[in-house]
Amino acid sequence: MILICCEDRDVYGYGHRSRMIALIDIFEVLKIDFICAITNVKWGAVLKKRKIKTIVLSRTSGDENEAKELINKVEEYLDEIKLFFCDGNRFGNRYLSIIKKLFKKNILIDDSGIPIRDQAEFVWNPNIYGSFSLYRNWKNIQLFSGEQYLLFRKEFERPVKNAKKKSIFISLGIAGSNNIISFIKDLAKARGFFVRLSTDFSANEMIDAIDDSLLTICGASVTLHEVWRRNSIALPVYQAKDQFLFKQFLIENKIDFINAIDENEAIIKDNFNKLFNKYFNQEPFLNNNKVQMVSIKNYSKQIINELYS
């Protein structure tokens, strides 16, 4: 059995939950029994629709207190659990030090290498910018990092539709500014483009919206991986400070993006206007099709199978 826990609080967006589903999809393919620890009742209802076994935690402290509550809640399964996954920056070394005493193998899913959390036995960075250099100060860990270890929900393996409509898809999540979204809509409509806005889309609805659109405007996070996985053009928006490594990747690879953190609203709007003019004058966004994820071999399922064996 595998036990998995992720950061599921609404304020942290959907990225961690999306990766939890990607892991669940792999567990199901491999016919591995699993249980999910949750703190968000609404998220629990989503999992329940898929008949996924859950336990509900009251603590979100990410320290030894949350670890002890988790252990108490899964007491009847302790002898069966062979792998433990946790995904979220709240889970610290004090949490992991308790966990590692009980579960045979523990895997931390991490995005940045900060803070150091080397009480985990295995560390998995499922980001295209992931590298060993991020973890040079972590001791005694086994690391899986980078483009070959990305986590996608199973629906993203669907064949890519090449026929595009005259539409733009906006998927900026909870960090998206209403003023900026309204401005993007005006820019698009002035050029005769239909705008589709993401609202609690399922994986299939996300794929349809990405595949149908000439351009997807999204955060520099999990959704950006998903757009590139569909071989589509993205205009990333750097809108959360924990996306700083993705921002660095975009700069290093000369990929256009909007900086919504370090600039004021007037400059942000001006930059959107410049890039829309650039794109809709038939000049593609610089190097945006350079990231061809369809051709990258993914080892996620293989690694989980080996770890569980």
Side-chain angles (χ1 to χ4, degrees), residues 229-266:
R229 178 64 184 83
R230 302 304 295 172
N231 200 30
S232 289
I233 295 177
L235 174 53
V237 179
Y238 171 56
Q239 57 182 4
K241 289 186 177 180
D242 62 2
Q243 299 169 352
F244 68 96
L245 288 172
F246 230 133
K247 172 190 171 188
Q248 183 177 317
F249 173 86
L250 297 171
I251 292 170
E252 289 174 354
N253 288 275
K254 298 180 180 179
I255 296 172
D256 288 325
F257 70 98
I258 297 292
N259 188 335
I261 288 183
D262 303 318
E263 308 288 359
N264 62 41
E265 187 171 299

Side-chain angles (χ1 to χ4, degrees), residues 125-144:
N125 186 321
N127 291 283
I128 196 167
Y129 59 74
S131 70
F132 284 82
S133 64
L134 297 175
Y135 301 93
R136 60 182 176 271
N137 294 323
W138 293 45
K139 298 177 182 178
N140 303 319
I141 62 166
Q142 295 186 53
L143 179 64
F144 311 111

